Amino acid sequence: MSTRAILVTGATGKQGSAVIDALIKANTNLEIIALTRNAQSPSAKKLQQKSPKINIITGNLDAINDVFQRAKEVTRAPIWGVFSVQIAIGDGQNVQSEERQGKALVDAALSNGVSHFVYSSVDRGGATASNTTPTYVPHFASKYNVEQHLFNKAKGSDMTWTVLRPVAFLDNLTADFFGKHFSTTWQMMLAKDKKLQMVATSDIGWFAAEAFVKPEAKEYRNESISLAGDELTFGEFKTIFERKTGQKLPTTFRLVSMFINWMVKELGTMWRWFRDVGYGTDIARLRAMNPALKDFATWLETESAWKTR
């Protein structure tokens, strides 16, 4: 197989960097074009050191045609694949910019002859519900709209696609204040018997890499896959953390978390959806596809700020 190039958006973010790590580990002849807003940032420089297969370019998803032009300038290989991820909260982004950028990237991929497009979206209550329900969470609905745009635009074209629908990130449990807020909000918002599904971003990367390596496989060709690695109540989450780390689960004052969720309405709305509806991923099916899929305990031991190996 001749060398092909994969354009990875959000290359220094959690998901983009996980995709790059998985592609490198797969040891394919795929060349990686890593899109970042600042090629001189410490995270970009660290990324560059991972592999000679990585070409870093600076660009903005609001100027996506310029991004493709720069991508073509750093490689002779055709831009065969695209990994698409956008953010809706933080860094001046919102649900409107997320949807605009996501749709524009689909259009640019088609006009530039991309063969396979992998879009990172979100699970919205399981496979059936995700296909038909935007939900009342704005940054879930924006992803639904991008999905629909992809399906409609790719229909009748030569471009195939895979939509990944991850649930809440295990990586949200950080050792800083953000992790304390995550734990506290979970404890406040969800009933004691209500489970929350979670996934390691490294496993999102694994499935994305598989979709690029095996684009014709029935699991990935024009298919949507919800991604989760564990499903826990808050009590189970707390017990596993404290057993594995020997420490108390990091939390903060409830009043502080309530204020943050009030100020950042997207977050409060999302947690209400977790309480009222919740994710619906078939974890057993995913584990059959990837026996190394991480549960919370494994993630704590291998990838978290409290890792022991």
Side-chain angles (χ1 to χ4, degrees), residues 28 34 41 52 64 95 119 173 213 243 277:
T28 68
S41 69
I64 194 61
V95 293
Y119 175 53
L173 182 63
V213 173
R243 185 179 71 240
V277 184

Side-chain angles (χ1 to χ4, degrees), residues 37-305:
R37 287 172 298 175
N38 181 6
Q40 300 307 312
S41 69
S43 54
K45 290 180 179 179
K46 183 179 178 181
L47 178 63
Q48 183 66 79
Q49 294 170 1
K50 290 183 176 181
S51 172
K53 292 182 177 181
I54 300 172
N55 291 302
I56 294 181
I57 62 171
T58 301
N60 187 322
L61 289 177
D62 278 325
I64 194 61
N65 290 328
D66 291 343
V67 168
F68 272 87
Q69 182 58 43
R70 289 173 190 168
K72 292 173 182 177
E73 291 170 358
V74 299
T75 179
R76 293 183 179 179
I79 303 174
W80 175 85
V82 168
F83 175 75
S84 171
V85 64
Q86 294 79 40
I87 60 173
I89 303 173
D91 294 327
Q93 297 289 104
N94 53 42
V95 293
Q96 290 78 26
S97 61
E98 177 193 29
E99 183 173 334
R100 179 182 68 246
Q101 291 171 352
K103 290 178 176 179
L105 185 50
V106 170
D107 295 342
L110 284 164
S111 63
N112 282 276
V114 167
S115 294
H116 195 67
F117 191 96
V118 177
Y119 175 53
S120 182
S121 182
V122 66
D123 179 78
R124 292 178 293 274
T128 301
S130 295
N131 286 334
T132 58
T133 309
T135 81
Y136 57 75
V137 184
H139 69 283
F140 287 15
S142 56
K143 292 176 177 63
Y144 172 86
N145 294 338
V146 174
E147 286 184 21
Q148 295 303 309
H149 185 79
L150 170 62
F151 302 156
N152 292 330
K153 289 286 186 173
K155 193 179 299 181
S157 77
D158 293 329
M159 186 175 81
T160 55
W161 50 265
T162 305
V163 171
L164 303 178
R165 293 170 173 160
V167 297
F169 296 170
L170 285 166
D171 308 63
N172 288 336
L173 182 63
T174 56
D176 56 15
F177 176 76
F178 183 86
K180 294 178 180 180
H181 170 63
F182 176 76
S183 299
T184 304
T185 302
W186 184 351
Q187 185 178 28
M188 287 191 307
M189 293 292 293
L190 271 60
K192 289 184 178 180
D193 61 348
K194 180 71 173 180
K195 292 179 180 284
L196 178 66
Q197 291 189 333
M198 293 170 292
V199 66
T201 53
S202 59
D203 284 327
I204 301 173
W206 187 91
F207 279 97
E210 285 289 289
F212 285 125
V213 173
K214 305 171 183 175
E216 296 301 319
K218 63 179 181 179
E219 295 90 350
Y220 300 107
R221 180 184 170 90
N222 297 342
E223 290 292 337
S224 302
I225 310 170
S226 291
L227 302 178
D230 212 339
E231 183 177 36
L232 302 169
T233 65
F234 178 79
E236 292 167 337
F237 180 73
K238 182 175 183 290
T239 297
I240 292 169
F241 178 87
E242 295 180 355
R243 185 179 71 240
K244 287 292 181 180
T245 67
Q247 301 178 35
K248 291 290 185 182
L249 179 69
T251 57
T252 188
F253 297 105
R254 289 190 172 206
L255 219 61
V256 173
S257 284
M258 287 171 64
F259 179 72
I260 292 171
N261 292 331
W262 176 76
M263 286 292 293
V264 186
K265 290 182 171 52
E266 278 284 314
L267 295 179
T269 302
M270 179 182 69
W271 279 99
R272 285 192 293 276
W273 185 84
F274 291 166
R275 179 195 66 196
D276 299 339
V277 184
Y279 298 120
T281 300
D282 183 349
I283 297 176
R285 172 177 176 258
L286 295 174
R287 204 168 296 284
M289 295 172 69
N290 177 15
L293 187 71
K294 299 171 193 70
D295 59 14
F296 181 42
T298 303
W299 176 83
L300 277 171
E301 293 173 345
T302 60
E303 295 183 3
S304 74

